[in-house]
Amino acid sequence: MTATPQTSRALELLLKHDRPVPRYTSYPTAAAFRTDVGDLQLRQQLAEVTDAPLSLYVHVPFCRHACWYCGCNRITTQLGSKVVEPYLTALAQELELIAEAMPQRRRLVQMHWGGGTPNYLNREETAQLWELIRRHFDFDDDLEASIEVNPEGLSRDAACQLRELGFNRISFGIQDADPDVQKAVNRVVPDTQLRHAMHWLREAGFESVNVDLICGLPLQTPERFRRTLELVQELRPDRISLFSFAYLPEQLPMQLKIQAEDLPSQRQRLSMLEDANQLLCANGYDAIGMDHYALHDDGLAEATREGRLHRNFQGYTTGGELDLIGIGPSAISQFRHLFSQNERDLKAYGAALAHGQLPVERGLVVTDPRVLQRRELIREVMCRFEVQLPPTDFEQELADFKRLECDGLVCLSQGADGLVTVRVTTDGRWLIRTIAAVLDPNQRRQASGSRLI
């Protein structure tokens, strides 16, 4: 496929600036977490008296099959209820410890079940977990309750049950609809089942349906990916997450099953991303942040237009600065001054609970006002593609931004108040993480994260 001039220029810029950079779902990033943060720090945080609403993340780590591209914390098993029943017991213990640490019941305005595969749980187990949470928290009348499901195991009855329980938002992974690409990553879901899944979710009355796509998978080509995009147009989900595949076999051994020579080239990847962007934006979707799209009247698009878009470990959200409590192995809790991550190993997670401890493996206490300022500036870049900086204290950053301006990635302007406004250009959106990293002193000292394309 011959590259368009836009593709050629974007690829030139990506090659010039390509280096490992974080996805900035938090600042500081998880790479800064330390093992001297544990049960004590989380208990102290939970003990603060407040009636502020909460967001809750629930991690369900089980999968029936391993997807070879996946970097999530998951356990592949066919044992079903034999592993789920003791896991629900452990979650009940964790919820009890959290409730005991809090001086009063808290109100949930957001809840998300992720994984793994949350619909690995059967009907009774799903209802049991919902009630476990309800036992310890008050549910807001407008609770935004979302869940990730694998469409392969979804049925009409399961979709209806999730909606009847109270879930109103749902997400399922397509990744790529081409049969050869699906076989190459060990995730085979026929397009007929994808169509059935969307029909059942619409029939059940979910307020918002998201689908996940991945660009850069083995055997993908622009022509094949275009057919996936055509299917997505037919399904017309409310939101689309379009991720770029990070091939990290040295960190994720499962990816060793993927042959490097089967991966598309950088030029092909960029062509696919540009094709998706043009097609979606021409058909009613707004580009949201770094890798999301939403229909123009969706709440995520509205939050973007109104400057309310936020970013946390769940990605882009309308939840603002809500405290986030995570339960289950590897789940991350996020407060203004504290990050804490649970034990990632299921046995270690269970052992901590058996000793009456909150199962925190590591985390970070954040009190430095300069770090908190950087957090807000990075969020502005990632969510609004614009940030204002005072000319003093940011001399190095402004010098770096001027170099990026020479490449057409940002535009700088100084107002009467002396503040310098940095606006990300259309070309710059492909390198938004690189632009945000200018504001990260840790990244200046040592690059970390995944590459851009």
Side-chain angles (χ1 to χ4, degrees):
M1 179 177 180
T2 302
T4 64
Q6 292 87 350
T7 303
S8 297
R9 171 167 169 73
L11 181 60
E12 177 186 336
L13 292 171
L14 284 164
L15 292 173
K16 178 177 179 178
H17 294 282
D18 189 24
R19 59 189 176 93
V21 279
R23 293 186 62 82
Y24 289 114
T25 49
S26 72
Y27 185 78
T29 68
F33 289 3
R34 300 155 48 109
T35 56
D36 57 357
V37 171
D39 169 272
L40 174 62
Q41 287 77 16
L42 181 54
R43 284 183 185 276
Q44 290 173 338
Q45 176 65 55
L46 294 173
E48 292 187 4
V49 178
T50 175
D51 60 359
L54 279 173
S55 179
L56 179 73
Y57 172 73
V58 183
H59 191 71
V60 181
F62 308 112
C63 294
R64 297 197 182 278
H65 306 286
C67 304
W68 295 341
Y69 57 79
C70 184
C72 299
N73 181 278
R74 81 281 179 271
I75 298 166
T76 305
T77 175
Q78 303 294 322
L79 292 176
S81 295
K82 290 184 178 180
V83 293
V84 171
E85 289 177 4
Y87 184 63
L88 292 180
T89 299
L91 286 178
Q93 291 174 315
E94 185 176 9
L95 284 166
E96 190 69 37
L97 290 172
I98 289 170
E100 289 175 356
M102 296 190 298
Q104 78 282 342
R105 284 176 68 91
R106 299 284 293 275
R107 176 169 53 95
L108 290 186
V109 295
Q110 283 188 337
M111 176 169 63
H112 181 78
W113 294 15
T117 308
N119 63 324
Y120 185 96
L121 277 58
N122 64 30
R123 183 182 184 92
E124 293 74 23
E125 292 157 351
T126 302
Q128 182 182 345
L129 179 51
W130 181 276
E131 288 306 315
L132 272 176
I133 297 165
R134 198 176 185 92
R135 189 181 306 165
H136 296 289
F137 296 97
D138 294 327
F139 284 11
D140 190 85
D141 291 342
D142 296 320
L143 172 68
E144 183 182 291
S146 60
I147 185 170
E148 301 168 13
V149 296
N150 183 338
E152 181 184 14
L154 189 68
S155 66
R156 181 180 182 276
D157 287 346
C160 289
Q161 186 221 4
L162 292 174
R163 186 68 187 97
E164 289 166 2
L165 274 177
F167 287 105
N168 45 34
R169 295 183 178 275
I170 197 162
S171 177
F172 68 91
I174 294 177
Q175 323 310 0
D176 191 295
D178 183 89
D180 291 333
V181 177
Q182 291 185 351
K183 290 176 185 176
V185 295
N186 198 41
R187 184 186 173 94
V188 178
V189 185
D191 58 4
T192 53
Q193 175 63 9
L194 295 172
R195 289 184 174 92
H196 286 322
M198 181 61 83
H199 176 71
W200 294 327
L201 297 177
R202 293 303 190 195
E203 188 180 38
F206 281 88
E207 296 171 16
S208 178
V209 181
N210 175 84
V211 301
D212 292 340
L213 303 176
I214 299 180
C215 176
L217 295 175
L219 304 186
Q220 268 184 344
T221 64
E223 292 77 18
R224 281 177 165 171
F225 197 61
R226 176 80 185 208
R227 290 194 288 272
T228 294
L229 293 172
E230 290 169 354
L231 173 63
V232 171
Q233 278 188 283
E234 175 191 331
L235 299 179
R236 201 157 179 82
D238 303 276
R239 299 177 183 180
I240 299 165
S241 302
L242 175 56
F243 301 113
S244 187
F245 175 51
Y247 183 57
L248 302 168
E250 66 283 357
Q251 299 175 31
L252 303 170
M254 184 67 67
Q255 291 186 359
L256 290 169
K257 296 178 180 291
I258 294 174
Q259 303 301 313
E261 57 268 25
D262 288 340
L263 297 174
S265 67
Q266 286 182 309
R267 186 176 299 277
Q268 287 178 311
R269 277 196 188 215
L270 187 58
S271 176
M272 288 185 273
L273 289 171
E274 285 195 323
D275 196 22
N277 183 70
Q278 293 174 11
L279 193 64
L280 294 173
C281 290
N283 284 276
Y285 289 91
D286 291 353
I288 307 295
M290 180 173 63
D291 44 24
H292 286 58
Y293 295 84
L295 290 173
H296 187 71
D297 59 354
D298 182 85
L300 205 62
E302 292 175 355
T304 301
R305 291 193 295 272
E306 296 170 5
R308 296 184 289 104
L309 192 66
H310 188 65
R311 189 163 172 81
N312 62 19
F313 288 102
Q314 296 171 36
Y316 286 104
T317 172
T318 60
E321 291 291 343
L322 290 173
D323 288 344
L324 168 67
I325 293 179
I327 62 172
S330 78
I332 295 176
S333 296
Q334 183 174 359
F335 305 88
R336 179 167 174 77
H337 297 295
L338 176 70
F339 297 113
S340 68
Q341 182 173 24
N342 281 354
E343 294 281 358
R344 286 164 284 185
D345 178 78
L346 185 59
K347 289 183 178 179
Y349 167 79
L353 293 169
H355 286 89
Q357 293 184 327
L358 291 167
V360 179
E361 177 184 356
R362 60 183 192 147
L364 191 68
V365 175
V366 184
T367 56
D368 188 335
R370 293 169 298 181
V371 175
L372 295 172
Q373 180 191 29
R374 299 272 175 168
R375 175 189 297 174
E376 180 60 23
L377 295 175
I378 289 172
R379 187 191 72 81
E380 290 287 305
V381 171
M382 297 295 294
C383 295
R384 297 182 61 240
F385 297 115
E386 182 178 309
V387 68
Q388 288 188 323
L389 299 175
T392 56
D393 300 328
F394 288 90
E395 291 87 354
Q396 180 63 60
E397 288 81 1
L398 288 171
D400 290 345
F401 280 133
K402 285 179 180 178
R403 283 190 283 272
L404 294 180
E405 186 177 35
C406 293
D407 283 334
L409 302 180
V410 298
C411 290
L412 275 61
S413 60
Q414 190 165 16
D417 57 3
L419 294 177
V420 179
T421 298
V422 182
R423 292 188 180 87
V424 181
T425 65
T426 300
D427 283 342
R429 292 195 177 203
W430 295 113
L431 293 112
I432 189 64
R433 289 192 286 152
T434 297
I435 293 169
V438 171
L439 297 163
D440 182 357
N442 296 323
Q443 193 69 10
R444 192 183 302 279
R445 287 188 289 269
Q446 182 176 1
S448 64
S450 59
R451 292 192 176 275
L452 299 170
I453 295 291

